[in-house]
Amino acid sequence: DKIPLVFQPYTVKDLTLANRFVVAPMCMFSSTDGFFTDYHLVHLGSFATLGAGLILAEATAVVPEGRISPADTGIWKDEQIPGLKRIADFVHAQGSKFGIQLAHAGRKASVKAFYSDLPESAYWKDNVVGPSGGADFQWDSKHHVPRELSLQDIEETIKAFGTAAARAHKAGLDTVEIHGAHGYLIHQFLSPISNQRTDKYGGSLENRARFLLEVVREVRANFPAEKPIFLRVSATDYIEHLDGPSWDIEQTVQIAKWVKEAGVDVFHVSSGGNTPKQLINATFGYQVPFAERVKKDVPGIEVVAVGLITGGKQANEVLEEEKADLIAIGRAFLRSPNFVLNAAQELNVKTKFSAQYERGRM
Ligand code: FNR
């Protein structure tokens, strides 16, 4: 019998995954000063002991002011490397692979951290930045009024993505995922909702995509050529019900072609997050059609589908129907860290348990 595609190994460049289940990046708001801790070792490590092919660590800030909250993880200084390496070594010892999401929150920075009881003084409001600044670009009343990035700020931010990628390599990570989704800084540049610059970083799609492409090239230059780079984007701003320009799937397909040229190996298709006016109908597999569209229209691109994929059969079907190459799963992994073992049961696959868990097999 054929092994279901989702349980077949997957290779991109020098990275080979035991299966096609990816733990989606998920902020845990459990850091101090950006450091990965015992919490992250246990949280991320458990997915490795339980057979996830690839684990993507949460949105991790390339500069301190790029954190969503003061409790986010960070990779802006060398001291943050060992904590990350410890997790990478553990994940590798379990036969899984490990990547990190490189992020800058832009105008969505410095908001209240879930489950953390941080004092007011932990937050910052002066250095909350975006492609465009001023009250018109404040995300909502819980967010700060952003300051417009200068050309020099932009250059420094791009450099910070590069040095972060170099640190991720030093920590022994197998890949980095550039966070270009969910209304964070890169998405803010892409979308005309949040980017009304009049210089070379605003206006035409080519200009709005310039920041992303420069980040991609900088990350590529600082990360070994044989290691793949992932990019996560939002395929739409979901404001078709309103007049005016926004981000959509047509532009997403175009930038997918550009970033592939610039060095992105795997394109991770999410959606939304750039305006509180968005109207999303999140049903099972709701983002899969976007992934499928990119895969069909951009020859040779590797695509991750994500979004309310909650079972093994559902995941496998997306792959068998050639709508995507990998499946990322977020909340279902939180509900059940042994998601992969359940999926194996569901698909009747005799996947290898970790040696320590082998006696749990029925
Ligand atoms: C997320 N998500 C998310 N996305 C991202 O790109 N970077 C991140 O750091 C986070 N953080 C995060 C935290 C938590 C607790 C959740 C639930 C989600 C979004 C996540 O990666 C995923 O795209 C969505 O959850 C949709 O997939 P599921 O959960 O339906 O499988």
Side-chain angles (χ1 to χ4, degrees):
D1 288 48
K2 184 171 162 283
I3 298 171
L5 205 43
V6 75
F7 277 102
Q8 290 180 28
Y10 170 85
T11 298
V12 53
K13 290 199 165 160
D14 270 6
L15 174 63
T16 295
L17 309 179
N19 58 56
R20 296 164 190 229
F21 288 109
V22 178
V23 178
M26 287 182 280
C27 289
M28 292 290 114
F29 303 102
S30 300
S31 275
T32 304
D33 196 24
F35 284 91
F36 281 82
T37 65
D38 286 357
Y39 176 80
H40 299 94
L41 175 68
V42 173
H43 160 67
L44 297 165
S46 70
F47 300 125
T49 58
L50 293 162
L54 174 66
I55 299 157
L56 290 175
E58 64 191 83
T60 297
V62 300
V63 290
E65 67 274 17
R67 289 172 293 172
I68 300 165
S69 88
D72 286 21
T73 52
I75 188 162
W76 63 78
K77 54 185 175 183
D78 290 347
E79 290 80 355
Q80 288 158 337
I81 295 173
L84 201 50
K85 182 168 188 304
R86 180 168 168 242
I87 301 171
D89 290 346
F90 180 81
V91 168
H92 289 153
Q94 310 306 312
S96 292
K97 302 293 177 178
F98 188 45
I100 194 175
Q101 200 181 37
L102 302 180
H104 190 307
R107 66 175 177 159
K108 288 172 77 173
S110 190
V111 293
K112 175 130 183 53
F114 289 82
Y115 10 92
S116 307
D117 210 1
L118 294 163
E120 262 318 290
S121 60
Y123 296 84
W124 59 100
K125 59 172 187 287
D126 294 338
N127 213 13
V128 174
V129 296
S132 294
D136 288 351
F137 296 93
Q138 185 178 10
W139 208 83
D140 69 9
S141 62
K142 289 186 187 138
H143 291 74
H144 303 282
V145 175
R147 168 177 73 75
E148 180 178 313
L149 288 164
S150 69
L151 289 178
Q152 192 188 330
D153 294 330
I154 290 176
E155 202 181 313
E156 284 168 8
T157 308
I158 292 165
K159 287 245 157 62
F161 272 94
T163 45
R167 288 188 190 105
H169 170 59
K170 269 198 195 140
L173 273 64
D174 305 291
T175 184
V176 289
E177 174 169 277
I178 299 167
H179 196 352
H182 303 163
Y184 295 111
L185 186 61
I186 291 172
H187 185 178
Q188 289 163 32
F189 269 93
L190 290 172
S191 172
I193 294 177
S194 38
N195 180 355
Q196 288 176 22
R197 295 178 76 95
T198 52
D199 61 8
K200 65 177 180 174
Y201 290 100
S204 65
L205 175 59
E206 209 165 20
N207 280 359
R208 283 181 277 119
R210 190 179 307 280
F211 178 71
L212 165 63
L213 286 164
E214 290 180 351
V215 166
V216 168
R217 290 195 195 99
E218 187 71 16
V219 168
R220 185 72 280 173
N222 281 280
F223 202 60
E226 64 278 9
K227 290 188 179 184
I229 294 174
F230 285 53
L231 167 68
R232 192 176 232 204
V233 298
S234 284
T236 175
D237 284 335
Y238 290 117
I239 59 160
E240 292 82 3
H241 58 291
L242 300 173
D243 285 335
S246 66
W247 186 250
D248 60 19
I249 183 66
E250 308 302 327
Q251 297 170 83
T252 301
V253 167
Q254 179 58 63
I255 61 151
K257 293 176 183 164
W258 290 340
V259 295
K260 185 168 180 289
E261 284 295 303
V264 166
D265 301 287
V266 185
F267 200 75
H268 191 165
V269 189
S270 187
S271 65
N274 198 33
T275 166
K277 293 176 185 152
Q278 66 187 15
L279 282 184
I280 304 186
N281 183 17
T283 52
F284 284 96
Y286 67 109
Q287 296 172 147
V288 173
F290 297 129
E292 180 184 10
R293 176 70 198 282
V294 172
K295 193 166 164 55
K296 294 236 149 59
D297 285 5
V298 187
I301 200 163
E302 298 293 301
V303 170
V304 189
V306 65
L308 282 177
I309 297 171
T310 58
K313 274 194 181 134
Q314 186 196 3
N316 191 54
E317 266 169 33
V318 172
L319 300 183
E320 297 282 2
E321 291 166 3
E322 296 182 25
K323 294 173 176 170
D325 302 284
L326 292 169
I327 301 294
I329 287 152
R331 289 163 291 184
F333 262 117
L334 296 185
R335 285 195 293 279
S336 172
N338 57 346
F339 180 89
V340 176
L341 300 180
N342 290 342
Q345 196 95 348
E346 192 188 342
L347 290 165
N348 200 21
V349 174
K350 300 275 176 287
T351 185
K352 201 171 153 19
F353 283 45
S354 69
Q356 292 90 333
Y357 284 17
E358 191 57 36
R359 286 163 70 195
R361 192 191 285 286
M362 280 178 69

